[in-house]
Amino acid sequence: MKKLLLLLLIPFLSFAQGWEQIFGANQTGSGYYGTSAKEVQDGGYIVCGGTHFTQSVLFGMTPSDICIFKTDTNGEEEWSKTFGSEYWDFGKSIQQTTDGGYVIAGYVNGFGMGGGNAYLLKVDENGEEQWSQIFDFGIAESVQQTTDGGYIITGYDSSDIYLLKTDENGEQQWSQTFGESFNDRAMFVQQTTDGGYIITGCTSVINSLGNSATDIYLAKINANGKQQWSQTFGGPGNDKAHCVKQTTDGGYIITGEDEEDIYNPGNDFWVANSDMYLIKTNELGQEEWFQRFGEAGNDCGRSVQQTSDGGYIIAGYLTPGKNQNSNIYLLKTNDNGEEQWSQTFGGAGDDAAQSVQQTSDGGYIIAAHTSTINNISNGVYLIKTDAQGNTTSTNIIETPTINKSLIKKIDILGRETTNKGLQLHIYDDGSVEKKYLIK
């Protein structure tokens, strides 16, 4: 006799610090993307990102909404909300605010507004909208509540880096643009201990070979939005930063990607290949050291934080080789950027981490996107690890469904299976359940 035991029961039998949750996975091409996750005051987690609907295509675009998930300490969903128009809307950054609510930055792309516009959304502790603001530049990538109760936002349009300060109601107080080339982008902002701001991203340059490329861009801004200094880092390839944090010594830690051209003698041509990049600077943005991490394919650091032991935690993605799918990559270093341990997560499809934060128990929370089943299932991938990057259980929270029928049973690599052990069950409505078969 065969019995099916839902893996959903396993977390209640374990007291470990680690788990994995996948929200909204299905086989229709629709799904969810996770971009940012934070631990919140009640010990749970808040996650933002975007939905993706293939059922409706408008003017060649697949519409999306901003999505927010609130979970308990075990990653079990407490509530979720979506916001947006019938067009393309997306959440890029989220933070809990001092009143217990949340602020989200991203963009809306209504056709009546002439393309994408930066979007700032404030919700209460239950995810109910309190107010929203639209600003006249393309994409807001990062938001932080400032010490005066307002908000600082950074992002970019087709040519400039934007930095915008609002009051507590999202009303603009001032904005500044930076950059001198057509491809300047800001990806992250943080308020610094002196009341100013640090931003990072990339800027276009002409490299040593006379070709157009991008370098990592770091700029220090005072409390009124005036630039104090800027620095660039990079080689002849396209180098980009995705995150910066001020460190306890007053300097800065940056992560991103460093592109190199590698010669392939078998085919007699050069191949662009990127590594995860970690740069430590002093308080003036002058480089103190850098480290590269990765394998044969394209690798990237998306998020970094200084940890309680003075080292650093970095999350992003790792690609083992050419034409291979990416895995979520979690890397811990000491205070000199030397690797202490690393972990990878993911299934048969492309998986990539977008944010990481050390949690109050010494572990880490990671927001990611996964395409777990033959590259066609999209879901928000929320990972909680212990202090060594370990997890113990995985749940897939399927999209709601009625009268579904099982069409296929596969293993974690996407192969059809009838063997005992871990199975993924795919249904005719596109939903997926993870089960454990006991013979």
Side-chain angles (χ1 to χ4, degrees), residues 126-174:
N126 298 310
E128 300 297 331
E129 181 174 338
Q130 295 177 299
W131 52 257
S132 63
Q133 300 283 359
I134 296 174
F135 303 102
D136 191 22
F137 67 94
I139 294 176
E141 288 282 353
S142 177
V143 63
Q144 184 187 16
Q145 189 173 33
T146 50
T147 53
D148 63 359
Y151 303 97
I152 190 73
I153 309 161
T154 199
Y156 58 91
D157 64 8
S158 60
S159 60
D160 291 318
I161 289 169
Y162 274 81
L163 186 68
L164 187 144
K165 175 70 173 66
T166 80
D167 64 14
E168 66 276 10
N169 296 312
E171 299 289 341
Q172 180 175 321
Q173 295 177 311
W174 52 257

Side-chain angles (χ1 to χ4, degrees), residues 291-360:
Q291 299 281 1
R292 290 187 179 93
F293 308 94
E295 294 188 359
N298 290 317
D299 314 308
C300 178
R302 290 284 188 173
S303 180
V304 65
Q305 183 188 17
Q306 190 172 30
T307 50
S308 56
D309 63 359
Y312 304 99
I313 190 74
I314 309 104
Y317 60 85
L318 182 74
T319 310
K322 184 180 179 182
N323 298 325
Q324 296 190 39
N325 293 316
S326 61
N327 293 313
I328 292 163
Y329 190 36
L330 184 68
L331 176 73
K332 175 68 173 67
T333 78
N334 64 15
D335 58 351
N336 294 313
E338 297 163 336
E339 181 176 338
Q340 295 178 306
W341 53 259
S342 65
Q343 300 279 6
T344 58
F345 307 90
D350 280 314
D351 309 298
Q354 302 294 332
S355 77
V356 65
Q357 180 194 34
Q358 190 172 34
T359 51
S360 55

Side-chain angles (χ1 to χ4, degrees), residues 38 52 70 82 91 104 133 146 159 169 179 181-182 189 255 270 286 301 318 335 360 369 388 414:
K38 300 289 193 310
H52 179 70
K70 171 67 174 65
T82 58
I104 303 98
Q133 300 283 359
T146 50
S159 60
N169 296 312
S181 63
F182 67 92
V189 63
T255 195
W270 292 80
Q286 297 162 336
L318 182 74
D335 58 351
S360 55
H369 166 253
Q388 299 300 315

Side-chain angles (χ1 to χ4, degrees), residues 398-412:
E398 62 188 85
T399 47
T401 186
I402 300 173
N403 297 325
K404 61 186 179 183
S405 299
L406 180 66
I407 59 174
K408 186 183 295 186
K409 300 176 184 179
I410 62 174
D411 63 19
I412 196 65

Side-chain angles (χ1 to χ4, degrees), residues 15 22 47 69 97 130 138 149 208 226 267 270 277 344 366 422:
F15 298 95
I22 299 174
V47 189
F69 293 89
T97 50
Q130 295 177 299
S208 58
K226 304 299 183 184
N267 295 302
W270 292 80
Y277 206 24
T344 58
I366 304 160
L422 195 61

